[in-house]
Amino acid sequence: MTANKALDEITLSTESIFEGKVISLQVDTVQLPNGNTSKREIVRHPGAVAVLAIHNDRILVVEQYRQALGRTEVEIPAGKLEKGEQPEEAIKRELAEETGYRCDQVTLLNSFYTSPGFADEIIHLYLAENLEAGELNPDDDEFLEVTEITLEEAYEQIRDGRISDAKTIMAVQAWHLIKVTGKPSL
């Protein structure tokens, strides 16, 4: 879907550079609107889900080491979509795996692209309430700590840099909006 066709680029060729477990990298040669050509490096990603899980007027967060950052990060529970998996199924799976909590009903808050300048990753952000405790079941390569924090603690962790990823900051803002208006969106 393009709003302004005059800005479209035409893909002339695609070269696959890397195929990984989570992402792939390609370089496209494109024709620009002025007729010139350019290269575009593109990361392909299967998509992901993230959840604003509210329990006892606190949100569930996980702290885990992030190799790309070289440190731990506090984030909302999230994970990539498995092949053929629907986002609503994936969010329930990820919530249970990362926190041990289960939820029968989730509400889609928004879907957004993380870095459209070079990646096609889309994250579907859900709201989960009325949680039921269960057993934590992280992936074999996942080491994390689950905690519950208040809105004020979330803002404090954003200010001190412990929370610095866009999906978690967006979820905290959505939670604030829910608290103020009673609705998850305007």
Side-chain angles (χ1 to χ4, degrees), residues 36-59:
N36 294 337
T37 60
S38 189
K39 301 282 187 188
R40 300 289 187 239
E41 297 171 350
I42 300 172
V43 174
R44 297 286 182 199
H45 187 281
V49 292
V51 63
L52 169 59
I54 301 174
H55 184 252
N56 295 330
D57 200 33
R58 294 172 176 263
I59 61 167

mmCIF file of all heavy atoms in Angstrom, residues 36-59:
data_model
loop_
_atom_site.group_PDB
_atom_site.id
_atom_site.type_symbol
_atom_site.label_atom_id
_atom_site.label_comp_id
_atom_site.label_asym_id
_atom_site.label_seq_id
_atom_site.Cartn_x
_atom_site.Cartn_y
_atom_site.Cartn_z
ATOM 1 N N ASN A 36 17.609 7.120 -11.497
ATOM 2 C CA ASN A 36 18.903 6.614 -11.035
ATOM 3 C C ASN A 36 18.703 5.307 -10.274
ATOM 4 O O ASN A 36 17.582 4.964 -9.892
ATOM 5 C CB ASN A 36 19.604 7.640 -10.127
ATOM 6 C CG ASN A 36 20.000 8.894 -10.877
ATOM 7 O OD1 ASN A 36 20.164 8.870 -12.098
ATOM 8 N ND2 ASN A 36 20.146 9.991 -10.150
ATOM 9 N N THR A 37 19.812 4.599 -10.020
ATOM 10 C CA THR A 37 19.727 3.358 -9.237
ATOM 11 C C THR A 37 20.459 3.539 -7.919
ATOM 12 O O THR A 37 21.329 4.400 -7.780
ATOM 13 C CB THR A 37 20.320 2.156 -9.994
ATOM 14 O OG1 THR A 37 21.686 2.408 -10.275
ATOM 15 C CG2 THR A 37 19.555 1.878 -11.272
ATOM 16 N N SER A 38 20.089 2.699 -6.961
ATOM 17 C CA SER A 38 20.710 2.726 -5.641
ATOM 18 C C SER A 38 20.613 1.329 -5.044
ATOM 19 O O SER A 38 19.890 0.467 -5.545
ATOM 20 C CB SER A 38 20.000 3.742 -4.742
ATOM 21 O OG SER A 38 20.705 3.923 -3.528
ATOM 22 N N LYS A 39 21.348 1.096 -3.958
ATOM 23 C CA LYS A 39 21.319 -0.171 -3.227
ATOM 24 C C LYS A 39 20.537 0.019 -1.934
ATOM 25 O O LYS A 39 20.622 1.065 -1.286
ATOM 26 C CB LYS A 39 22.742 -0.633 -2.880
ATOM 27 C CG LYS A 39 23.649 -0.846 -4.071
ATOM 28 C CD LYS A 39 23.361 -2.151 -4.743
ATOM 29 C CE LYS A 39 24.405 -2.407 -5.835
ATOM 30 N NZ LYS A 39 24.089 -3.554 -6.641
ATOM 31 N N ARG A 40 19.792 -1.023 -1.546
ATOM 32 C CA ARG A 40 19.056 -1.034 -0.290
ATOM 33 C C ARG A 40 19.385 -2.329 0.443
ATOM 34 O O ARG A 40 19.158 -3.413 -0.084
ATOM 35 C CB ARG A 40 17.537 -0.957 -0.524
ATOM 36 C CG ARG A 40 17.073 0.282 -1.264
ATOM 37 C CD ARG A 40 17.201 1.515 -0.389
ATOM 38 N NE ARG A 40 16.606 2.678 -1.044
ATOM 39 C CZ ARG A 40 17.274 3.779 -1.332
ATOM 40 N NH1 ARG A 40 18.551 3.879 -1.031
ATOM 41 N NH2 ARG A 40 16.667 4.792 -1.922
ATOM 42 N N GLU A 41 19.954 -2.205 1.647
ATOM 43 C CA GLU A 41 20.228 -3.368 2.489
ATOM 44 C C GLU A 41 18.993 -3.607 3.343
ATOM 45 O O GLU A 41 18.552 -2.706 4.063
ATOM 46 C CB GLU A 41 21.452 -3.114 3.363
ATOM 47 C CG GLU A 41 22.711 -2.903 2.558
ATOM 48 C CD GLU A 41 23.896 -2.444 3.400
ATOM 49 O OE1 GLU A 41 23.714 -2.106 4.583
ATOM 50 O OE2 GLU A 41 25.012 -2.411 2.856
ATOM 51 N N ILE A 42 18.438 -4.829 3.258
ATOM 52 C CA ILE A 42 17.158 -5.100 3.919
ATOM 53 C C ILE A 42 17.265 -6.336 4.801
ATOM 54 O O ILE A 42 17.731 -7.388 4.363
ATOM 55 C CB ILE A 42 16.039 -5.313 2.881
ATOM 56 C CG1 ILE A 42 15.894 -4.051 2.019
ATOM 57 C CG2 ILE A 42 14.724 -5.675 3.564
ATOM 58 C CD1 ILE A 42 14.970 -4.212 0.842
ATOM 59 N N VAL A 43 16.834 -6.172 6.051
ATOM 60 C CA VAL A 43 16.736 -7.288 6.989
ATOM 61 C C VAL A 43 15.309 -7.801 6.923
ATOM 62 O O VAL A 43 14.353 -7.036 7.100
ATOM 63 C CB VAL A 43 17.083 -6.839 8.430
ATOM 64 C CG1 VAL A 43 16.843 -7.967 9.420
ATOM 65 C CG2 VAL A 43 18.515 -6.333 8.502
ATOM 66 N N ARG A 44 15.164 -9.099 6.658
ATOM 67 C CA ARG A 44 13.844 -9.735 6.638
ATOM 68 C C ARG A 44 13.642 -10.468 7.960
ATOM 69 O O ARG A 44 14.543 -11.139 8.449
ATOM 70 C CB ARG A 44 13.720 -10.730 5.471
ATOM 71 C CG ARG A 44 13.829 -10.096 4.109
ATOM 72 C CD ARG A 44 12.575 -9.333 3.778
ATOM 73 N NE ARG A 44 12.657 -8.762 2.426
ATOM 74 C CZ ARG A 44 11.896 -7.780 2.020
ATOM 75 N NH1 ARG A 44 10.983 -7.255 2.828
ATOM 76 N NH2 ARG A 44 12.019 -7.312 0.803
ATOM 77 N N HIS A 45 12.462 -10.315 8.544
ATOM 78 C CA HIS A 45 12.145 -10.874 9.857
ATOM 79 C C HIS A 45 10.727 -11.431 9.805
ATOM 80 O O HIS A 45 9.859 -10.821 9.175
ATOM 81 C CB HIS A 45 12.259 -9.779 10.922
ATOM 82 C CG HIS A 45 12.131 -10.250 12.322
ATOM 83 N ND1 HIS A 45 10.906 -10.528 12.905
ATOM 84 C CD2 HIS A 45 13.064 -10.497 13.269
ATOM 85 C CE1 HIS A 45 11.101 -10.917 14.150
ATOM 86 N NE2 HIS A 45 12.392 -10.917 14.399
ATOM 87 N N PRO A 46 10.453 -12.560 10.467
ATOM 88 C CA PRO A 46 9.106 -13.146 10.378
ATOM 89 C C PRO A 46 8.017 -12.391 11.135
ATOM 90 O O PRO A 46 6.845 -12.728 11.027
ATOM 91 C CB PRO A 46 9.300 -14.539 10.985
ATOM 92 C CG PRO A 46 10.456 -14.390 11.910
ATOM 93 C CD PRO A 46 11.362 -13.391 11.250
ATOM 94 N N GLY A 47 8.384 -11.375 11.880
ATOM 95 C CA GLY A 47 7.412 -10.649 12.686
ATOM 96 C C GLY A 47 7.461 -11.121 14.126
ATOM 97 O O GLY A 47 8.025 -12.176 14.435
ATOM 98 N N ALA A 48 6.885 -10.329 15.003
ATOM 99 C CA ALA A 48 6.956 -10.628 16.431
ATOM 100 C C ALA A 48 5.686 -10.154 17.127
ATOM 101 O O ALA A 48 4.873 -9.433 16.550
ATOM 102 C CB ALA A 48 8.179 -9.950 17.048
ATOM 103 N N VAL A 49 5.571 -10.592 18.369
ATOM 104 C CA VAL A 49 4.477 -10.176 19.234
ATOM 105 C C VAL A 49 5.063 -9.668 20.542
ATOM 106 O O VAL A 49 6.156 -10.063 20.943
ATOM 107 C CB VAL A 49 3.487 -11.328 19.509
ATOM 108 C CG1 VAL A 49 2.730 -11.702 18.249
ATOM 109 C CG2 VAL A 49 4.189 -12.536 20.102
ATOM 110 N N ALA A 50 4.334 -8.786 21.196
ATOM 111 C CA ALA A 50 4.719 -8.272 22.506
ATOM 112 C C ALA A 50 3.444 -8.046 23.301
ATOM 113 O O ALA A 50 2.381 -7.806 22.721
ATOM 114 C CB ALA A 50 5.500 -6.962 22.365
ATOM 115 N N VAL A 51 3.558 -8.139 24.632
ATOM 116 C CA VAL A 51 2.348 -8.059 25.437
ATOM 117 C C VAL A 51 2.489 -7.110 26.621
ATOM 118 O O VAL A 51 3.464 -7.164 27.361
ATOM 119 C CB VAL A 51 1.890 -9.460 25.925
ATOM 120 C CG1 VAL A 51 2.910 -10.106 26.825
ATOM 121 C CG2 VAL A 51 0.525 -9.404 26.596
ATOM 122 N N LEU A 52 1.511 -6.226 26.732
ATOM 123 C CA LEU A 52 1.327 -5.401 27.916
ATOM 124 C C LEU A 52 0.437 -6.230 28.829
ATOM 125 O O LEU A 52 -0.782 -6.278 28.651
ATOM 126 C CB LEU A 52 0.664 -4.071 27.542
ATOM 127 C CG LEU A 52 0.159 -3.189 28.683
ATOM 128 C CD1 LEU A 52 1.282 -2.807 29.627
ATOM 129 C CD2 LEU A 52 -0.535 -1.961 28.120
ATOM 130 N N ALA A 53 1.062 -6.952 29.748
ATOM 131 C CA ALA A 53 0.342 -7.860 30.642
ATOM 132 C C ALA A 53 0.165 -7.182 31.992
ATOM 133 O O ALA A 53 1.148 -6.889 32.686
ATOM 134 C CB ALA A 53 1.110 -9.169 30.786
ATOM 135 N N ILE A 54 -1.089 -6.926 32.366
ATOM 136 C CA ILE A 54 -1.385 -6.207 33.608
ATOM 137 C C ILE A 54 -1.886 -7.203 34.649
ATOM 138 O O ILE A 54 -2.817 -7.968 34.401
ATOM 139 C CB ILE A 54 -2.429 -5.098 33.363
ATOM 140 C CG1 ILE A 54 -1.891 -4.111 32.314
ATOM 141 C CG2 ILE A 54 -2.768 -4.388 34.674
ATOM 142 C CD1 ILE A 54 -2.890 -3.063 31.878
ATOM 143 N N HIS A 55 -1.232 -7.161 35.829
ATOM 144 C CA HIS A 55 -1.585 -8.057 36.927
ATOM 145 C C HIS A 55 -1.526 -7.261 38.226
ATOM 146 O O HIS A 55 -0.483 -6.698 38.571
ATOM 147 C CB HIS A 55 -0.598 -9.237 36.978
ATOM 148 C CG HIS A 55 -0.931 -10.249 38.009
ATOM 149 N ND1 HIS A 55 -0.189 -10.396 39.145
ATOM 150 C CD2 HIS A 55 -1.934 -11.159 38.069
ATOM 151 C CE1 HIS A 55 -0.700 -11.362 39.875
ATOM 152 N NE2 HIS A 55 -1.771 -11.841 39.251
ATOM 153 N N ASN A 56 -2.643 -7.160 38.917
ATOM 154 C CA ASN A 56 -2.709 -6.408 40.180
ATOM 155 C C ASN A 56 -2.201 -4.975 40.029
ATOM 156 O O ASN A 56 -1.424 -4.485 40.846
ATOM 157 C CB ASN A 56 -1.935 -7.131 41.285
ATOM 158 C CG ASN A 56 -2.553 -8.462 41.643
ATOM 159 O OD1 ASN A 56 -3.758 -8.645 41.532
ATOM 160 N ND2 ASN A 56 -1.719 -9.404 42.056
ATOM 161 N N ASP A 57 -2.643 -4.295 38.981
ATOM 162 C CA ASP A 57 -2.263 -2.916 38.673
ATOM 163 C C ASP A 57 -0.750 -2.740 38.530
ATOM 164 O O ASP A 57 -0.193 -1.704 38.869
ATOM 165 C CB ASP A 57 -2.822 -1.940 39.707
ATOM 166 C CG ASP A 57 -2.870 -0.517 39.153
ATOM 167 O OD1 ASP A 57 -3.093 -0.356 37.923
ATOM 168 O OD2 ASP A 57 -2.655 0.434 39.932
ATOM 169 N N ARG A 58 -0.104 -3.764 38.029
ATOM 170 C CA ARG A 58 1.327 -3.735 37.708
ATOM 171 C C ARG A 58 1.495 -4.417 36.360
ATOM 172 O O ARG A 58 0.667 -5.241 35.979
ATOM 173 C CB ARG A 58 2.144 -4.487 38.761
ATOM 174 C CG ARG A 58 2.110 -3.827 40.122
ATOM 175 C CD ARG A 58 2.785 -4.720 41.168
ATOM 176 N NE ARG A 58 2.833 -4.051 42.442
ATOM 177 C CZ ARG A 58 3.896 -3.382 42.902
ATOM 178 N NH1 ARG A 58 4.988 -3.328 42.189
ATOM 179 N NH2 ARG A 58 3.857 -2.788 44.061
ATOM 180 N N ILE A 59 2.574 -4.083 35.647
ATOM 181 C CA ILE A 59 2.833 -4.796 34.398
ATOM 182 C C ILE A 59 3.945 -5.811 34.621
ATOM 183 O O ILE A 59 4.857 -5.598 35.423
ATOM 184 C CB ILE A 59 3.180 -3.873 33.212
ATOM 185 C CG1 ILE A 59 4.443 -3.054 33.451
ATOM 186 C CG2 ILE A 59 2.015 -3.009 32.843
ATOM 187 C CD1 ILE A 59 4.964 -2.381 32.207
#
